[in-house]
Amino acid sequence: MAFFADKDYTQDQAVLDAINAVMQGNLTLHWIDANTEKVRGRASDPRRGLTYEDLDLGSYGFSSIPEFVRDEQSMVARGSEKWGRLPDMGYVVNRKSDVWSDNVTTLYEEAKTRRWAPAVDVPWAELEINPLASDLQAACAQLYTFLQECALVALDFPARWVPLINQEFIEQKSFMCSQMLDGARLLEVFRKRALYTGAGLGRASVTAEQGLKEWLWADTYPQGSLAINILLAGFMLAAYRQVAAVAPSRVDRAIMGYAMQDAARQVSYGTGALRYHLEHQPAQKAALSGYLDEAEHVMLALVGSPELLEPLIIISGGGLEGAQVKSGRESVVKFIRLVVREYLERVSAAGLDRRGNSRLPAIVDRVSL
Amino acid sequence: MAIRFPSTDYFNSLKKLMEADQARFRRLGFIDTTFGVSVTHNETSRDFVLTFEVFELKEVREVEKIDIAQVDFVIAGDAAVWRDMLENIRRNGEADAQHDLNTLAHFGEALKVSYAEPEGHDKLYRFMESIQEFFDLTSQIEVGF
């Protein structure tokens, strides 16, 4: 698939003549009187600096984006004057309530200020000063292999949709780019952690990957957002909290501390987007509930994956001895129930009460020691 | 002189230290949340509401009872658990993995986190690094219980 501009500009004498005219000092200045609003953006809080919220002004503001974007299909910057034959970008997501969340500008600014760098913000040398027992080291290598698969999908989802979302939603698209950076950074830190100690990577998870692909390729953005930004991100947030709570090293604790803030932003967006979607499109409640009837099973593919479950038990219990495995199993059962409970809380708070419909609570209740 | 925990004096001492160590908190990023801290001793609770804004603790006040609808989340626990955490911070300069807020609150067994809205709860994790480092400032003061 390719797009060709309306002409070959090297063959357009008018363009070449215009360049020469300007270079000879004959400026047209036709843009200087652009028919646009003249506003002045100022930081409302100097500590915070100039934010997107400060620029929510008149025709430039995100508050003025209509629910249905009918006549903006080019890459024109919102609020600028349109003239001439601008290309149609073929955006397929043009309805604000299909993507928007009221917290998206806040989360975008927050994502940038709460940035971190795996190369320098993780005390890697601790792994050499206080090396882990081989059982724990192997479990960590497997866990971080699994987490890379999840982080990759968290990166791929916004990447899949950003070019398809209307350019009017600038702040939304920018936030999704920050999600990609978060996903890339988590992929990086999990990979570095797995490879630092010489244990190498572990084994890929067939069940997790089959399920993650199903979520990633959901038909619509609202469905995919529900799957990736609530189900997957909620699961990952709980997993990071679990590993942080039983962290076998300062390195693992530091990684999980940073990872949980990135995942928490993702679920905050996901919950906000679902709420906004259902407030503006209440008829979608039944459709999304139907989608979840089909898609929730993936949660079991993730939590039930032996490539996650077993290393998580070993790390949670502190090793492979009988008592450690028993303690690990007790902890991981609580973790699984926590994942499902918090998922149901989030969708319910957003307007989609699944507590009577979801098969997950009954299934996880049957998980016994 | 030791500053008693829990008290507004204790939180205000940390507030001043936070303001004095802006580089540390700026590196962690914005923290925008209002949450409650509830400390129970002999079945009586002392409740506080802390409001963080940008890089600072904007306000702390003791209240009779925390209105859960007015805060993002409440961290509640027995005075002995809080004391354990703060003494651990005093010994190590920061909470170790067994005594940090995430671990103590993870399954609600030592500290309990309650909330009206899941998005409020998620803010605990969005800002966990800053909140923990705020409590870790306890290493720089004398605390009495």
Side-chain angles (χ1 to χ4, degrees):
Chain A
M1 191 171 73
F3 171 77
F4 299 102
D6 56 355
K7 63 180 79 164
D8 177 347
Y9 285 91
T10 64
Q11 304 300 313
D12 187 340
Q13 192 56 45
V15 168
L16 297 175
D17 290 346
I19 293 170
N20 284 329
V22 170
M23 297 314 288
Q24 285 160 20
N26 300 315
L27 279 63
T28 66
L29 300 181
H30 70 287
W31 44 268
I32 213 160
D33 291 322
N35 183 25
T36 58
E37 202 175 349
K38 308 304 175 201
V39 299
R40 197 183 293 268
R42 286 287 182 273
S44 56
D45 185 336
R47 295 171 302 170
R48 214 180 281 280
L50 186 64
T51 66
Y52 261 151
E53 289 192 341
D54 294 324
L55 299 184
D56 189 18
L57 303 167
S59 59
Y60 301 103
F62 50 82
S63 295
S64 63
I65 304 171
E67 168 67 358
F68 296 94
V69 180
R70 297 180 189 280
D71 58 352
E72 305 284 359
Q73 277 291 322
S74 76
M75 62 189 88
V76 63
R78 192 176 65 220
S80 58
E81 182 183 354
K82 289 180 289 183
W83 70 288
R85 196 156 68 90
L86 297 165
D88 185 324
M89 295 296 289
Y91 297 126
V92 299
V93 180
N94 299 297
R95 187 168 180 179
K96 188 175 182 180
S97 62
D98 278 344
V99 289
W100 194 258
S101 171
D102 283 331
N103 60 9
V104 79
T105 52
T106 302
L107 290 170
Y108 176 57
E109 300 290 351
E110 187 180 306
K112 288 178 292 153
T113 69
R114 297 193 73 85
R115 66 192 177 277
W116 55 287
V120 294
D121 288 331
V122 174
W124 295 108
E126 283 280 332
L127 290 170
E128 286 169 290
I129 298 165
N130 298 302
L132 300 181
S134 59
D135 293 343
L136 273 177
Q137 200 57 268
C140 284
Q142 178 56 49
L143 175 76
Y144 286 105
T145 301
F146 179 90
L147 292 178
Q148 284 178 64
E149 293 168 294
C150 296
L152 187 69
V153 171
L155 182 164
D156 281 348
F157 178 73
R160 178 193 166 197
W161 284 98
V162 158
L164 302 176
I165 293 173
N166 196 293
Q167 183 66 18
E168 286 291 285
F169 308 121
I170 297 164
E171 297 82 358
Q172 169 69 38
K173 290 168 72 107
S174 300
F175 173 68
M176 291 172 74
C177 292
S178 78
Q179 286 187 303
M180 287 183 227
L181 184 58
D182 290 347
R185 187 170 48 206
L186 291 171
L187 186 59
E188 172 195 346
V189 79
F190 298 151
R191 191 163 187 81
K192 287 178 173 174
R193 172 63 183 87
L195 295 178
Y196 191 86
T197 58
L201 295 183
R203 185 164 282 174
S205 170
V206 174
T207 57
E209 290 202 15
Q210 288 285 338
L212 288 170
K213 183 177 178 184
E214 186 173 321
W215 279 353
L216 174 63
W217 290 101
D219 282 345
T220 67
Y221 182 83
Q223 288 177 355
S225 176
L226 186 46
I228 301 296
N229 292 314
I230 296 183
L231 278 153
L232 177 60
F235 158 74
M236 293 185 78
L237 174 57
Y240 301 152
R241 286 154 52 194
Q242 173 79 10
V243 178
V246 295
S249 74
R250 286 190 65 220
V251 167
D252 300 295
R253 186 177 168 217
I255 290 170
M256 293 301 151
Y258 289 122
M260 71 173 78
Q261 65 183 30
D262 293 353
R265 277 195 305 276
Q266 197 179 348
V267 287
S268 289
Y269 163 70
T271 309
L274 177 61
R275 175 181 290 117
Y276 195 94
H277 182 66
L278 294 177
E279 281 172 358
H280 291 80
Q281 303 185 51
Q284 289 301 314
K285 196 177 287 190
L288 283 179
S289 204
Y291 168 71
L292 287 175
D293 287 343
E294 302 298 323
E296 277 177 352
H297 78 98
V298 172
M299 183 64 88
L300 290 175
L302 291 175
V303 299
S305 162
E307 292 81 13
L308 166 74
L309 209 50
E310 293 182 12
L312 198 55
I313 287 170
I314 294 166
I315 293 167
S316 298
L320 255 178
E321 296 294 327
Q324 291 170 324
V325 171
K326 181 173 182 291
S327 163
R329 286 187 291 125
E330 287 167 354
S331 180
V332 170
V333 165
K334 289 180 197 167
F335 159 75
I336 292 170
R337 291 183 179 149
L338 178 80
V339 168
V340 171
R341 177 169 61 77
E342 291 189 348
Y343 153 63
L344 294 173
E345 279 177 5
R346 288 191 182 101
V347 290
S348 173
L352 197 62
D353 196 346
R354 295 280 300 158
R355 281 175 286 207
N357 309 83
S358 174
R359 290 175 291 164
L360 292 176
I363 293 171
V364 300
D365 278 348
R366 293 210 303 270
V367 176
S368 59
L369 295 170
Chain B
M1 199 175 83
I3 300 164
R4 290 199 71 78
F5 177 88
S7 66
T8 50
D9 283 350
Y10 164 78
F11 290 113
N12 277 318
S13 297
L14 300 193
K15 171 179 157 71
K16 282 184 193 147
L17 290 169
M18 190 181 193
E19 285 163 7
D21 200 356
Q22 275 292 285
R24 176 178 178 178
F25 288 91
R26 288 184 79 92
R27 182 183 59 79
L28 293 171
F30 293 161
I31 167 171
D32 294 293
T33 177
T34 295
F35 65 87
V37 169
S38 182
V39 182
T40 304
H41 182 62
N42 288 338
E43 296 183 2
T44 305
S45 292
R46 287 189 67 183
D47 291 352
F48 301 85
V49 172
L50 285 70
T51 301
F52 287 86
E53 193 177 275
V54 193
F55 304 114
E56 294 156 10
L57 174 59
K58 182 183 174 193
E59 182 191 33
V60 57
R61 59 198 165 88
E62 185 163 7
V63 296
E64 205 158 292
K65 191 175 187 322
I66 297 166
D67 179 354
I68 202 160
Q70 299 300 313
V71 296
D72 293 318
F73 54 89
V74 178
I75 310 174
D78 195 83
V81 176
W82 287 103
R83 180 175 180 164
D84 251 10
M85 181 180 91
L86 299 182
E87 287 181 342
N88 181 265
I89 290 169
R90 293 272 306 144
R91 277 196 303 278
N92 302 316
E94 61 182 17
D96 65 21
Q98 288 76 44
H99 293 88
D100 68 16
L101 288 170
N102 176 65
T103 302
L104 294 172
H106 186 42
F107 290 130
E109 289 162 356
L111 295 176
K112 186 173 169 51
V113 179
S114 47
Y115 45 91
E117 290 286 333
E119 284 150 297
H121 181 214
D122 291 332
K123 284 191 183 179
L124 172 59
Y125 305 103
R126 275 161 62 183
F127 305 122
M128 178 64 90
E129 293 290 295
S130 303
I131 295 169
Q132 185 62 57
E133 292 220 12
F134 171 76
F135 278 102
D136 285 351
L137 291 170
T138 305
S139 65
Q140 300 177 37
I141 58 173
E142 290 291 332
V143 191
F145 299 94

